[in-house]
Amino acid sequence: MRGIVRVVIACVSLLVIPVAAYAQASITGVVRDTSGAVLPGVTVEASSPNLSEKVRSVVTDGSGQYRIITLPPGTYAVTFTLPGFSVVRRDGVELQGTFTAAINADLRVGSLEETVTVTGESPLVDVQSATQQRVISTEVVDSIPSGRMPASMVVLIPGITIAQGAGNYFGIGAHDVGGSVGDMTGIYAIHGGTLQDSRQMINGVSTGWGNEAFESLYTPNMSAIQEVVVDTAGSAENEVGGVRTNLIPRDGGNELSGTLFGSFTNEHLTADNLTDDLRARGLSHANSVQENMDFNPSVGGPIKRDKVWFYSAIRYLKAANYVAGVFFDATQNDANVWAYTPDLSRKAVNSAVWKNAQTRVTWQANPRNKFAVSYSEQTSCKCPSLISATQVGPTDNRHGHPLRLATADWTAPITTRLLLDASVLYQFNKWGFFPPDGASPGLIGFSEQSNGMNVKTRVGDFRNAKNITFRYRVSASYVTGAHAFKLGFVNATASADYNAFAIQPLRYRLNNGVPNQLTMRVRPYHDLWTLDFEPGVFVQDRWTIDRLTLNLGMRYDGKRSHFPEQIISDPANPYGAARFVPVPFTIPRTEQLRWHDITPKMAAAYDLSGDGKTAVKVSLNKYLSGTQVDAIGNPVAGNLILETTRNWNDLTFPVGDPRRGNFVADCDLLNPAINGECQAMANPNFGKVTGGGSVWDPKTLRGWGVRGYNWELSAGVQREIVPQVSVDLSYFRRSYGNLTVTDDRALTAADFDTFSVPAPTDSRLPDGGGYTVSGLRNLKLGSFGRPSSNYVTFADAYGKQIQRWNGVDLSVNARIRNGLLLQGGLSTGRTTSDNCEIVEQLPEISPLIPQAYCHVDTNFLTQVKLLASYTIPRVDVQVSGSFQSIPGPEVQANFVASNALVTPSLGRPLSGGAANVTVNVVEPGTIYGERLNQLDVRFAKILRFGGNRTSLNLDLYNALNGSAVIQQSNTYGNWQQPQGILIGRSVKVSAQYNF
């Protein structure tokens, strides 16, 4: 491996070219004379105030073609000059993201003193790239009513689904209504991709952690961002194939300029949208805004004119929301109360405050070298948070205490054909999930089976964490007119230190207030991980042959990592030793990943009509899995048994005995066998140095081509149907490979008995319920409690496993000069999954999922999303808005089946002394809740004073006051009880001053 790295570094030292999705656009085209003959040797210049060197020039090649690359977003003038011909100038060429604008020119014989200015609309169809991309410009951010976070804008792209990074902080998921989810760091998926393939970048460098590259608690400051470039499909330069959001920082200029933005709303400006139907379904009050405010000033300008510039921004953001149907627990801190006791005078509130300050300095050292450095520091306290209908105990989430992020960039157009650039990013982040200040040291969290509610403490306990990440990329491009060649290199090092702890290392399970199971946990413990390096090398060759552009690429990705030495039950841990590990032991340093992968990338675009208005595009790319890597082969959190359950009967002792019903497990918990009130441990390897958790097949950890992957196929046509209005129709298919499965080698299919349960009779269930759910499995009595021997290996060792997605997008994009902006469309698709051959051999992977559910074809799920803005002439009133129509949540019905219902088919009680089992009696992917329809509207009065602009805004979020259910109970005891609805119509006032 060291030899490979040396070769890679040596090659890159000679020639380095872009590898990441660096958001730089291009202008390309063909120059001819009036007879149609191509003209080589024409000087083509692109000029713009946004270009640091003011003018970038190239010369047409032998085929008359030219290409000017890595142009920052802005409006350009393109000039064509050749002795003996008149000069041709094309103004008003607008560039965004990585768009390739086709600007052709016809030169006629004349003098250089004569300039012919050609008017025309800026190209709207990219006829040379197959990448599916959407650019969120400053114009869109300033015009559309939103929470002024990238996530609140990205989610308006058809097909995108979103989850909130690290947790459901506000108890309403990730669906934002006018900034209701605060400083949300979104994680996205599209076209059957996974959330873990999502990436957020700054100038092409990922802000993600080394162990969870999809996760970044860095929250962008919108006043310091020039544009957000979103790639959703067809990207040929990336390691993973998910949604990629690239943040382009704003640079200062020669004139002092900036923005002052502020907004406010509260509960008095929010309508009640609780309907009689929702009340009848058990919702006492709706989730709604308590307070929401945002203050975001920024300023930039020259430090030394034409040489050094700065741009700085600060932001203070507060978001607080009432939680649907939940009140603060009056006995939250009482360790002797085993029920949720709602304080009806205090609705539960999730609240967060986020503070950020950042600055960027840009230095044009000479005409060919530009440097920029940025520094950002932020803190965020979501205190309290994570309160929801299923988690009534609060958690303090201190994210970024502090979070420091620094970047450095260098660009150098060495010649008209060779351009070099590089970026470096460093991130330090201390964060965690903590119990509220003053929490009782005796608190034991518990879950209630009858309604799915978790009380007192967070289900996943708590964490004090630190992530350090260092990433860099170096790049260069060699471009002629018809040909562009790229080669590039990226790398990263990182570390993660997660200190997991609990108030008490026990958790109870109750059913209708009666304990029936407890969970023992090894807490606290450190989970340490180190990324040694992850080099990536990318080559791409692009040829334009007449109207056809071919893109062929190849990428190598490597990854090397290890787990440092760790002590279990370390008395030096700030949270003390682990109660259930009386004798500390050491887990030595463990080598982890040695991955090597080569992935091909292929794309073609064809200018069908030859006028730059119709493009046929196709791409086929192999991408790698972006999964959380520190969970793979982990010798502590993976191999050690850090949790185990044991069934428990608190009514074992006779009436009158003080141990009866005292909510104390009266047994020797360290004894794995049946004793006192406790049944045997589900896994007797709990807390032992011998492990017994999951051992990974070495073939999955080391070698070439062993990493999970997916193939993405896209094909479509884009057409400019009228000037500045284009329509795009595309088909997408994604299929997965190198899937893994866990085989408990201590068990075989013969260790299980099959049983069925009757579904309850209920008109809401398919066919009114009453049907039999069969194909369930339960361990035989003699097999229960057997030490596990989990082995993670490739699923194809046991049979065929399928995971794929097929769908279609139809979108429209309009940029009309009279002030109309329109973007949006629809996306529909379905997921197919099949692991029937796997579960036949390995029933332990899903014993309580009916065998008939091993093959799932979901319904076609369709999204419709639109955004629009129009400025009424003369009166300077802007009307804008956005609309979303998305599927409701998937419905399950998790039915608690007692032994009385199980025994008739099983022929015996459940093994291990279990009192019941929970079974989903609804086939997956077949029932969904009501659609969510949300309309947001803004009315803005624009005031202009010289070169300054003020916008006074009145926003109506959820203008129709819809009350669609976005979360509901899947626990049959309170089935389909709403747990979160669309926040009611909210009026927000805001103002923005640009100078």
Side-chain angles (χ1 to χ4, degrees):
M1 178 61 200
R2 292 180 180 176
I4 294 174
V5 173
R6 291 192 188 103
V7 171
V8 169
I9 294 175
C11 293
V12 171
S13 299
L14 295 174
L15 180 62
V16 187
I17 355 193
V19 52
Y22 194 52
Q24 300 287 293
S26 304
I27 300 175
T28 185
V30 180
V31 184
R32 295 180 171 88
D33 63 18
T34 52
S35 71
V38 298
L39 291 175
V42 178
T43 299
V44 185
E45 295 181 335
S47 60
S48 172
N50 292 45
L51 199 59
S52 59
E53 66 268 39
K54 306 305 180 186
V55 177
R56 181 93 48 89
S57 64
V58 297
V59 177
T60 58
D61 64 9
S63 65
Q65 298 188 59
Y66 74 94
R67 186 182 300 273
I68 308 175
I69 64 169
T70 61
L71 296 172
T75 302
Y76 286 77
V78 186
T79 305
F80 304 86
T81 307
L82 183 66
F85 291 83
S86 299
V87 175
V88 172
R89 178 185 173 94
R90 174 74 178 270
D91 292 327
V93 178
E94 297 179 12
L95 297 182
Q96 295 181 333
T98 59
F99 185 83
T100 300
I103 305 295
N104 300 322
D106 294 329
L107 304 189
R108 64 180 176 85
V109 176
S111 66
L112 291 177
E113 290 75 18
E114 181 184 4
T115 299
V116 178
T117 300
V118 179
T119 59
E121 301 290 350
S122 185
L124 199 61
V125 176
D126 189 337
V127 296
Q128 295 196 2
S129 174
T131 300
Q132 297 285 328
Q133 186 178 95
R134 178 72 61 85
V135 177
I136 302 171
S137 63
T138 302
E139 175 192 8
V140 173
V141 173
D142 292 346
S143 301
I144 303 301
S146 74
R148 278 178 58 85
M149 284 290 173
S152 61
M153 305 300 298
V154 173
V155 76
L156 295 177
I157 298 173
I160 282 186
T161 58
I162 185 171
Q164 197 166 34
N168 182 16
Y169 302 122
F170 289 94
I172 53 175
H175 190 82
D176 183 72
V177 179
S180 60
V181 292
D183 62 314
M184 177 176 64
T185 304
I187 301 175
Y188 318 102
I190 194 170
H191 301 149
T194 70
L195 293 167
Q196 293 185 333
D197 288 339
S198 175
R199 294 292 183 270
Q200 176 180 269
M201 299 178 286
I202 298 177
N203 269 348
V205 182
S206 172
T207 64
W209 302 333
N211 57 324
E212 303 176 63
F214 56 90
E215 184 70 87
S216 172
L217 297 180
Y218 170 72
T219 303
N221 187 322
M222 291 306 294
S223 287
I225 294 173
Q226 184 167 354
E227 66 178 20
V228 180
V229 181
V230 186
D231 288 342
T232 58
S235 176
E237 301 183 5
N238 290 279
E239 173 191 20
V240 296
V243 178
R244 296 161 295 276
T245 54
N246 193 14
L247 311 174
I248 309 304
R250 180 175 294 180
D251 290 320
N254 281 330
E255 301 296 330
L256 191 69
S257 63
T259 297
L260 178 62
F261 176 85
S263 67
F264 178 80
T265 189
N266 63 16
E267 58 188 298
H268 303 297
L269 298 174
T270 302
D272 185 359
N273 60 342
L274 186 65
T275 66
D276 291 339
D277 176 69
L278 293 171
R279 290 189 182 92
R281 291 169 61 182
L283 185 61
S284 60
H285 62 269
N287 44 287
S288 60
V289 173
Q290 185 194 54
E291 184 179 24
N292 189 291
M293 63 181 299
D294 189 358
F295 179 65
N296 190 194
S298 66
V299 64
I303 297 175
K304 183 177 182 181
R305 193 174 182 85
D306 293 327
K307 197 72 173 179
V308 185
W309 309 269
F310 79 96
Y311 204 91
S312 301
I314 62 174
R315 191 172 189 181
Y316 174 89
L317 178 65
K318 180 179 180 181
N321 299 321
Y322 292 112
V323 183
V326 180
F327 298 87
F328 281 117
D329 188 350
T331 56
Q332 164 63 34
N333 215 27
D334 190 336
N336 297 313
V337 175
W338 300 97
Y340 163 54
T341 311
D343 181 349
L344 300 182
S345 67
R346 294 194 305 148
K347 295 179 182 177
V349 175
N350 286 312
S351 180
V353 172
W354 175 67
K355 304 173 185 177
N356 170 262
Q358 63 184 73
T359 193
R360 180 175 175 86
V361 176
T362 306
W363 173 38
Q364 188 71 49
N366 55 49
R368 297 194 183 279
N369 288 277
K370 183 175 78 171
F371 301 88
V373 293
S374 300
Y375 178 78
S376 175
E377 182 159 335
Q378 65 185 47
T379 62
S380 174
C381 188
K382 299 173 176 64
C383 309
S385 62
L386 296 178
I387 303 174
S388 69
T390 59
Q391 175 64 69
V392 296
T395 300
D396 283 359
N397 292 277
R398 302 185 185 112
H399 286 173
H401 279 263
L403 188 157
R404 300 186 177 111
L405 189 143
T407 66
D409 306 300
W410 167 63
T411 58
I414 303 300
T415 70
T416 58
R417 294 189 173 186
L418 177 64
L419 182 138
L420 307 178
D421 69 84
S423 293
V424 175
L425 182 147
Y426 172 81
Q427 182 179 184
F428 174 90
N429 190 9
K430 292 191 69 176
W431 61 282
F433 304 101
F434 299 90
D437 293 338
S440 170
L443 283 183
I444 296 176
F446 64 91
S447 61
E448 172 55 57
Q449 282 186 290
S450 64
N451 57 20
M453 183 177 289
N454 294 282
V455 187
K456 302 292 186 184
T457 66
R458 182 173 180 262
V459 177
D461 288 329
F462 304 102
R463 177 185 294 176
N464 191 346
K466 179 174 68 176
N467 289 81
I468 299 175
T469 308
F470 176 73
R471 299 182 183 274
Y472 63 91
R473 66 171 182 85
V474 285
S475 62
S477 299
Y478 185 77
V479 181
T480 65
H483 180 222
F485 178 74
K486 294 184 178 183
L487 167 70
F489 180 73
V490 295
N491 198 8
T493 60
S495 65
D497 179 355
Y498 293 174
N499 194 1
F501 67 99
I503 299 177
Q504 287 291 324
L506 282 174
R507 187 169 186 85
Y508 292 172
R509 189 183 76 179
L510 284 60
N511 190 22
N512 294 312
V514 179
N516 59 50
Q517 190 180 86
L518 61 84
T519 299
M520 301 168 60
R521 292 174 168 171
V522 174
R523 300 289 189 277
Y525 72 90
H526 268 289
D527 190 5
L528 306 175
W529 177 84
T530 298
L531 175 65
D532 300 311
F533 50 79
E534 54 173 6
V537 180
F538 169 80
V539 291
Q540 182 180 356
D541 214 13
R542 170 184 285 192
W543 287 90
T544 299
I545 307 167
D546 195 13
R547 290 184 283 172
L548 175 66
T549 300
L550 298 175
N551 290 275
L552 300 175
M554 193 75 69
R555 178 172 172 129
Y556 162 80
D557 285 284
K559 194 182 293 286
R560 178 168 180 164
S561 55
H562 72 272
F563 298 96
E565 178 181 282
Q566 298 167 76
I567 300 174
I568 304 303
S569 197
D570 185 357
N573 190 304
Y575 298 102
R579 170 183 168 185
F580 296 125
V581 183
V583 179
F585 58 86
T586 299
I587 301 297
R589 170 180 167 135
T590 304
E591 300 301 321
Q592 190 202 19
L593 301 176
R594 300 292 186 274
W595 278 342
H596 306 279
D597 289 276
I598 293 179
T599 51
K601 322 285 183 177
M602 297 159 281
Y606 184 68
D607 185 355
L608 189 64
S609 55
D611 57 3
K613 296 183 181 296
T614 305
V616 177
K617 306 178 182 185
V618 63
S619 69
L620 178 63
N621 298 305
K622 184 179 181 181
Y623 295 113
L624 299 174
S625 169
T627 189
Q628 181 175 343
V629 293
D630 60 339
I632 299 173
N634 192 318
V636 174
N639 184 45
L640 297 183
I641 305 299
L642 300 177
E643 296 186 10
T644 190
T645 60
R646 57 195 313 168
N647 295 309
W648 164 37
N649 184 357
D650 197 33
L651 304 178
T652 299
F653 295 101
V655 175
D657 192 311
R659 293 172 295 180
R660 181 181 175 90
N662 62 352
F663 289 90
V664 175
D666 293 299
C667 60
D668 180 2
L669 292 174
L670 291 177
N671 181 353
I674 298 174
N675 72 96
E677 296 179 338
C678 302
Q679 296 290 318
M681 288 183 186
N683 196 322
N685 283 326
F686 170 70
K688 294 183 179 179
V689 68
T690 52
S694 296
V695 175
W696 285 69
D697 183 347
K699 294 179 181 179
T700 65
L701 304 178
R702 300 171 183 86
W704 288 84
V706 300
R707 187 173 171 182
Y709 66 85
N710 66 84
W711 281 97
E712 179 192 71
L713 169 68
S714 67
V717 59
Q718 185 180 9
R719 170 68 181 171
E720 186 172 352
I721 53 176
V722 296
Q724 293 300 284
V725 179
S726 69
V727 174
D728 190 329
L729 177 64
S730 298
Y731 164 77
F732 302 93
R733 178 183 175 89
R734 191 187 305 272
S735 59
Y736 289 82
N738 277 354
L739 301 172
T740 59
V741 69
T742 302
D743 175 11
D744 187 349
R745 294 178 295 184
L747 300 172
T748 69
D751 287 300
F752 291 84
D753 290 326
T754 301
F755 69 99
S756 60
V757 298
T761 300
D762 190 322
S763 60
R764 298 170 297 173
L765 288 172
D767 299 322
Y771 47 85
T772 299
V773 180
S774 58
L776 306 170
R777 296 178 173 92
N778 183 250
L779 274 174
K780 293 182 176 180
L781 297 177
S783 302
F784 184 85
R786 185 180 299 169
S788 61
S789 178
N790 291 324
Y791 188 67
V792 183
T793 188
F794 293 114
D796 59 12
Y798 303 90
K800 185 178 182 180
Q801 184 166 355
I802 296 172
Q803 185 176 340
R804 61 172 176 256
W805 187 91
N806 290 275
V808 175
D809 285 2
L810 175 64
S811 61
V812 62
N813 183 20
R815 295 201 313 251
I816 301 175
R817 288 189 179 274
N818 64 4
L820 176 63
L821 168 71
L822 175 65
Q823 296 177 354
L826 65 85
S827 176
T828 187
R830 72 187 305 181
T831 299
T832 297
S833 61
D834 188 311
N835 67 344
C836 296
E837 294 182 8
I838 311 297
V839 297
E840 188 66 29
Q841 294 192 55
L842 305 177
E844 67 269 20
I845 64 176
S846 53
L848 295 179
I849 297 179
Q851 290 173 281
Y853 298 171
C854 63
H855 179 95
V856 176
D857 288 308
T858 67
N859 296 343
F860 276 92
L861 303 179
T862 303
Q863 297 184 357
V864 178
K865 298 178 181 179
L866 296 168
L867 64 85
S869 173
Y870 178 67
T871 302
I872 302 173
R874 298 181 182 177
V875 296
D876 259 353
V877 172
Q878 187 179 66
V879 181
S880 61
S882 65
F883 175 74
Q884 301 178 63
S885 179
I886 59 178
E890 182 179 351
V891 175
Q892 299 179 355
N894 297 320
F895 176 62
V896 178
S898 66
N899 269 309
L901 296 176
V902 170
T903 300
S905 63
L906 185 59
R908 57 172 174 81
L910 294 161
S911 58
N916 55 58
V917 291
T918 301
V919 177
N920 176 22
V921 296
V922 171
E923 183 177 355
T926 58
I927 303 179
Y928 293 85
E930 61 184 305
R931 292 187 68 84
L932 183 152
N933 297 301
Q934 178 180 337
L935 174 66
D936 301 331
V937 180
R938 168 174 291 179
F939 301 95
K941 172 60 181 173
I942 299 172
L943 307 174
R944 304 179 192 273
F945 304 96
N948 302 336
R949 179 183 186 273
T950 300
S951 178
L952 305 177
N953 310 317
L954 180 68
D955 296 346
L956 297 177
Y957 294 102
N958 187 17
L960 303 179
N961 206 32
S963 55
V965 175
I966 57 178
Q967 293 178 340
Q968 61 184 11
S969 174
N970 286 318
T971 300
Y972 190 75
N974 59 343
W975 193 41
Q976 297 192 16
Q977 177 177 315
Q979 297 177 338
I981 65 174
L982 192 63
I983 285 180
R985 179 172 51 244
S986 177
V987 178
K988 177 183 278 190
V989 293
S990 65
Q992 181 166 327
Y993 173 58
N994 297 335
F995 60 93

